[in-house]
């Protein structure tokens, strides 16, 4: 029987793997700092916990903002994954209400489980930080799920367009551009209500994550579910 020889991994692939592992370590430590101290990151402090000199981090992240951007993109992608998985898990694709509720609860679960990452992307702006365009596409992933639900609801004739509040012409054009961007293919009144409902969901999540419900609402899941169902009715999902 002939001997089998294995080809050793190329030096480039080893370096790439080592670099990826180092980046993961840096981000893990940075998330711990955000959890403990908020988003005002210090590369020096991250380097100290990693056991390296601060200049070593510049081989991976040019500055604090570069590291923050990486963490923000990771958070958006993780939230997008949660929304997409929740939507895909509903077997009856025509049940748009079930899909809306599944996505809504997935957003809340992710946020409550990872409050510091939620605060990083939906909390107060980080002083001195301006998010680059790299963050735009990941931030839209959950909204694209909403667009798919709206499009399928329209196709299945499960959207009501009754009692539409008049929308000024200039605003209507902006709302229709949003609908086109997320592939919703719905009228401006429906898209407007969907945007209001989406804002309401994140407002509800923010109230819970940031402690605004303390000493007021103890049955948090029931309260959120009630809001999500109310917003589904408001959109016109039937």
């Amino acid at each position: 029987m002939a001997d089998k020889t294995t080809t050793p991994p190329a030096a480039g692939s080893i370096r790439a793997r080592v670099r990826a592992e180092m980046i993961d370590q840096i981000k893990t430590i940075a998330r711990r700092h955000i959890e403990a101290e908020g988003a005002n990151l210090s590369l020096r402090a991250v380097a100290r916990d990693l056991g390296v000199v601060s200049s070593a981090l510049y081989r991976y992240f040019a500055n604090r903002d570069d590291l923050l951007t990486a963490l923000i993109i990771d958070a958006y992608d993780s939230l997008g994954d949660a929304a997409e998985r929740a939507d895909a898990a509903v077997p009856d694709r025509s049940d748009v209400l079930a899909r809306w509720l599944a996505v809504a609860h997935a957003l809340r679960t992710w946020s409550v489980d990872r409050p510091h990452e939620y605060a990083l992307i939906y909390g107060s702006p980080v002083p001195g930080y301006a998010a680059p365009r790299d963050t735009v596409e990941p931030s839209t992933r959950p909204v694209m799920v909403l667009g798919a639900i709206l499009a399928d609801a329209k196709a299945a004739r499960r959207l009501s367009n009754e009692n539409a509040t008049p929308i000024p012409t200039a605003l209507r054009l902006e709302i229709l551009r949003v609908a086109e961007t997320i592939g919703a293919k719905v009228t401006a009144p429906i898209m407007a209500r969907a945007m209001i409902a989406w804002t309401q969901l994140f407002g509800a999540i923010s109230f819970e994550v940031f402690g605004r419900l303390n000493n007021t609402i103890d049955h948090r899941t029931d309260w959120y579910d009630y809001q999500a169902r109310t917003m589904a009715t408001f959109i016109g999902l039937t």
Side-chain angles (χ1 to χ4, degrees):
M1 183 175 180
D3 292 336
K4 292 184 178 180
T5 58
T6 57
T7 303
S13 65
I14 294 175
R15 284 194 297 270
R17 186 178 71 248
V18 170
R19 179 178 178 82
E21 290 173 352
M22 185 63 173
I23 288 173
D24 283 344
Q25 290 182 47
I26 293 170
K27 291 194 290 188
T28 297
I29 292 174
R31 289 189 189 97
R32 291 176 191 161
H33 279 268
I34 287 174
E35 182 175 353
E37 303 155 12
N40 192 21
L41 273 178
S42 164
L43 287 185
R44 188 182 301 275
V46 172
R48 182 182 63 244
D49 287 359
L50 195 59
V52 300
V53 296
S54 57
S55 59
L57 265 61
Y58 294 115
R59 292 198 290 266
Y60 305 94
F61 297 99
N63 48 46
R64 181 210 68 161
D65 286 5
D66 196 22
L67 176 54
L68 270 177
T69 296
L71 297 176
I72 288 169
I73 290 174
D74 282 356
Y76 276 133
D77 278 335
S78 179
L79 181 61
D81 284 342
E84 290 163 4
R85 285 195 305 269
D87 181 41
V90 179
D92 183 356
R93 308 308 293 160
S94 67
D95 192 345
V96 289
L97 175 59
R99 290 169 61 188
W100 163 264
L101 292 173
V103 172
H105 280 284
L107 296 176
R108 172 181 177 262
T109 298
W110 184 94
S111 304
V112 171
D113 288 347
R114 307 167 81 157
H116 302 288
E117 288 185 72
Y118 177 84
L120 185 61
I121 55 179
Y122 289 112
S124 299
V126 179
Y129 174 79
R133 290 198 60 81
D134 293 355
T135 61
V136 173
E137 184 175 350
S139 73
T140 63
R141 287 180 58 186
V143 190
M144 298 301 290
V145 177
L146 170 64
I149 293 173
L150 292 175
D152 291 348
K154 181 184 178 184
R157 299 181 182 275
R158 295 192 174 187
L159 275 173
S160 169
N161 194 27
E162 297 178 359
N163 301 321
T165 302
I167 302 172
T169 300
L171 177 58
R172 175 184 291 270
L173 293 175
E174 290 184 329
I175 291 170
L176 287 174
R177 280 198 293 269
V178 173
E180 182 180 1
T181 298
I182 67 172
K185 301 177 182 178
V186 294
T187 64
I190 291 175
M191 190 67 238
R193 292 202 298 269
M195 291 170 68
I196 293 169
W198 196 249
T199 303
Q200 169 68 22
L201 285 186
F202 280 96
I205 291 169
S206 291
F207 259 55
E208 181 171 1
V209 170
F210 299 138
R212 304 299 296 179
L213 295 179
N214 294 349
N215 304 314
T216 304
I217 297 291
D218 293 327
H219 296 85
R220 305 284 174 83
T221 300
D222 289 343
W223 175 231
Y224 182 82
D225 185 71
Y226 179 80
Q227 292 177 89
R229 290 178 182 275
T230 301
M231 286 299 99
T233 301
F234 176 70
I235 294 172
L237 294 174
T238 61

